[in-house]
Amino acid sequence: MNRIEWQDLPSATRAAVERHTGPVKTAENPPHGVMSQLACIVRTATGRAFVKGTHQDDPQAWVYRHEADVTRFAPRAPKVLWEAEAGGWLLYGYEYVVGRHPDLNPGSTDLGPLVRTLAVLSDASWPETLRKKPLHSRWSEFLPADVPSYLQGGGLAHTDMSPHNMLMTPAGDLLLLDWALACPAPVWADTALTIPRLISAGHAPKQAETIARQVPVYRAAAPAAVDVFAHTVYTAWADWERTRPMPHRAALTAAARDWAAYRDSVAHVDT
């Protein structure tokens, strides 16, 4: 992606932003990569804001609108502060949150806040005013045509549970960033999608499941539903590793494979 710096934006675009923020004193790139044509932290007399966006004629511009719309409803998310369209650009300002990415390794004190956030997320319903393809439709090529009802749902799911999309605040809360992939899903989907992340961080599948089962909706999910979900995650991630390779995909696919295998072993013992 061709990235642009704040100072290279059209003057009309910068002026539109500064009507919300006041004069920008400095602008710096975020510490981790953000897949946006513009992504920066602006500092003004009143504080900092995270700014991201793209050209108005970008075919993916709708994603930024969707992300902002979802974030306004999402729990444990930075606030959307403003929207600016000027000079051929669409930009959004988000609350700047001081924090660090969590440590998901075994024994980490960040696991407790993670569980609490997952429990809060499980109470959020998908807003009726927002249209978005549900998770089971996103995975349609990996599921039977007659999708089981337990893989459908109306929960507000983030679906991209990478620790790089999480921030631990000084107050000990875990927030979720980057809601662009949010969609309707089973209320326990985000908890389930966190399990391969925990395995990738060094947890055995049983340990990861034990953490996930601290979230009431996951503990209450039908075992057969979780089994199918785990295998679907593995099948989808393995396919994306082949067709859309990225450096991080191999480790995640391996973690998903281990989770699916664990689910099979548990089912075998139970029967």
Side-chain angles (χ1 to χ4, degrees):
M1 176 174 292
N2 294 324
R3 294 287 296 274
I4 189 171
E5 302 293 329
W6 164 259
Q7 62 270 18
D8 296 325
L9 286 169
S11 59
T13 307
R14 286 184 277 116
V17 170
E18 290 180 328
R19 281 194 285 272
H20 296 282
T21 66
V24 171
K25 295 182 177 181
T26 63
E28 59 189 75
N29 293 327
H32 294 283
V34 178
M35 298 298 290
S36 301
Q37 290 188 332
L38 175 87
C40 63
I41 300 162
V42 299
R43 186 187 297 269
T44 70
T46 57
R48 287 178 285 184
F50 180 70
V51 181
K52 67 189 297 187
T54 189
H55 286 101
Q56 287 173 311
D57 61 0
D58 181 352
Q60 294 299 307
W62 69 271
V63 175
Y64 294 83
R65 292 189 176 92
H66 169 73
E67 179 180 11
D69 289 343
V70 173
T71 304
R72 291 186 177 99
F73 290 95
R76 300 293 175 96
K79 296 177 183 177
V80 183
L81 302 176
W82 46 261
E83 174 185 341
E85 289 193 65
W89 282 80
L90 170 66
L91 299 180
Y92 287 93
Y94 289 85
E95 173 189 14
Y96 178 78
V97 179
V98 176
R100 59 174 175 80
H101 297 302
D103 174 7
L104 301 187
N105 290 323
S108 171
T109 57
D110 295 343
L111 297 176
L114 171 65
V115 168
R116 290 194 291 273
T117 289
L118 291 171
V120 170
L121 287 176
S122 71
D123 286 334
S125 299
W126 184 260
E128 293 183 0
T129 55
L130 300 184
R131 296 177 59 84
K132 181 65 174 178
K133 181 186 296 185
L135 186 61
H136 69 267
S137 295
R138 185 188 300 175
W139 287 348
S140 59
E141 64 186 293
F142 310 112
L143 289 168
D146 185 15
V147 179
S149 60
Y150 51 64
L151 290 186
Q152 305 176 40
L156 196 166
H158 183 284
T159 79
D160 189 6
M161 304 305 289
S162 165
H164 288 301
N165 289 335
M166 304 175 184
L167 274 185
M168 285 294 307
T169 72
D173 295 321
L174 189 147
L175 304 185
L176 284 174
L177 315 174
D178 295 335
W179 288 79
L181 295 179
C183 67
V187 293
W188 45 267
D190 278 338
T191 302
L193 287 165
T194 302
I195 291 175
R197 302 287 180 170
L198 293 169
I199 296 171
S200 183
H203 296 261
K206 183 177 181 179
Q207 293 174 314
E209 285 267 1
T210 298
I211 294 168
R213 287 179 61 81
Q214 295 178 50
V215 180
V217 294
Y218 184 81
R219 188 168 62 248
V226 178
D227 292 344
V228 173
F229 193 93
H231 279 278
T232 304
V233 170
Y234 171 50
T235 302
W237 288 7
D239 180 81
W240 297 338
E241 183 188 349
R242 291 190 302 271
T243 60
R244 292 179 276 170
M246 295 180 70
H248 68 281
R249 289 204 192 277
L252 285 180
T253 301
R257 180 192 62 225
D258 291 347
W259 181 34
Y262 172 76
R263 296 297 309 182
D264 287 343
S265 70
V266 171
H268 177 73
V269 170
D270 288 346
T271 56

